[in-house]
Amino acid sequence: MSELGHRYEVRSREERYRGRIFDVVTEEVTMPGGGTGLRDLVRHVGAVAVVALDDAGQVVLIRQYRHPVGRHLWELPAGLMDVSGEELPAAALRELAEEADLTAGRVDVLVDLHSSPGFTNEIVRVFLARDLADVPAAERHERRDEEADLQVVRIDLDEAVAMVLAGEITNASAVAGLLATASARDTGFAALRRADAPLPR
C-alpha cells in the first residue's frame, strides 16, 4: 500500500535478462485512476560500501575504472551482497580488506540509499569503519581485473567533502557516505546505527 492509498499491483512480469548481479524485467503495474503501465526495472542483489576513517581524520578512497562511464572514479571500498548467508557488516569488512588492505575494530551504519530508484531496486548500505589496522602482507587479497588497477589513497575528510561539492567525486555511495561521515563527526557520532540494524527493503 502506498502512502496515498493506491495499491500498485503487478499484473504481469516478463524477464528480459538474467545475470549474476542483476536481472532486467518488464512489469505491468496498476495505476491510480485506473489502467496499467509498463515499467522496465533492474532487480539488483544490493551492495555495501565503507567509509574507513582513521585516527588522523583521514578517509580511504579508491580510484577504480568503471566501464559503463568509461573512466576512473573516486569511490569507497565497496562490493556486492552476493555471498550467501554473509551478514552485511562482515561483507563490509571483507570488501575493506580486499580493496584497501585494512581491518576495522569498529563498524557502524552510516546511511542506506536507493542508488537510482527510477529504474532499479538496488540498495546500498554504507558503513563507517574505525579503529583501522593493516591486513598482514601475507594475508592480502590478490586483486584481479579492474581491481588490479586500484589506486588507494587517504585524504582528510574535509578535503573529500570538498571534492564531492566540486563534482570530483560522483559515485553515489561515496557522495552519501562522505557527507554522512562529516555530519556524524560534527555531532560526535551520536546518531549512528548499530552495524546489524535492519536493512530497509
Side-chain angles (χ1 to χ4, degrees):
M1 186 73 75
S2 78
E3 293 177 3
L4 298 178
H6 177 74
R7 188 178 187 90
Y8 290 85
E9 296 179 350
V10 176
R11 291 286 180 86
S12 65
R13 176 181 295 117
E14 181 179 354
E15 186 172 86
R16 307 282 187 175
Y17 169 81
R18 177 176 289 275
R20 183 180 67 85
I21 297 170
F22 62 84
D23 305 330
V24 179
V25 300
T26 299
E27 295 183 343
E28 181 185 13
V29 185
T30 60
M31 293 292 151
T36 62
L38 295 177
R39 296 293 179 265
D40 295 327
L41 62 119
V42 174
R43 295 188 303 200
H44 192 277
V45 297
V48 294
V50 188
V51 177
L53 180 67
D54 67 19
D55 292 340
Q58 293 186 314
V59 292
V60 175
L61 294 179
I62 64 173
R63 192 160 176 82
Q64 182 172 358
Y65 178 74
R66 292 299 189 180
H67 190 68
V69 297
R71 62 190 180 97
H72 287 76
L73 296 179
W74 287 111
E75 302 185 348
L76 302 174
L80 299 171
M81 299 176 186
D82 62 349
V83 176
S84 179
E86 185 178 47
E87 298 292 331
L88 298 187
L93 289 172
R94 174 175 52 79
E95 293 296 341
L96 183 62
E98 290 179 1
E99 295 191 351
D101 300 322
L102 292 170
T103 63
R106 178 167 185 177
V107 177
D108 299 284
V109 173
L110 269 172
V111 289
D112 298 312
L113 60 140
H114 288 101
S115 59
S116 190
F119 79 93
T120 181
N121 68 344
E122 180 188 31
I123 189 163
V124 182
R125 168 152 284 182
V126 185
F127 290 92
L128 175 64
R130 291 176 284 173
D131 301 336
L132 305 179
D134 292 329
V135 173
E139 300 173 16
R140 292 183 179 174
H141 177 72
E142 182 183 349
R143 299 185 186 117
R144 301 175 184 274
D145 300 326
E146 290 94 340
E147 289 184 353
D149 187 37
L150 281 185
Q151 177 187 359
V152 182
V153 300
R154 291 194 195 199
I155 68 169
D156 185 78
L157 174 58
D158 290 327
E159 183 181 345
V161 169
M163 290 171 68
V164 169
L165 299 179
E168 297 169 25
I169 297 175
T170 58
N171 173 279
S173 56
V175 169
L178 293 168
L179 295 180
T181 300
S183 177
R185 175 201 58 192
D186 294 345
T187 56
F189 301 104
L192 296 176
R193 285 175 284 158
R194 293 174 21 168
D196 62 352
L199 188 69
R201 284 218 186 254

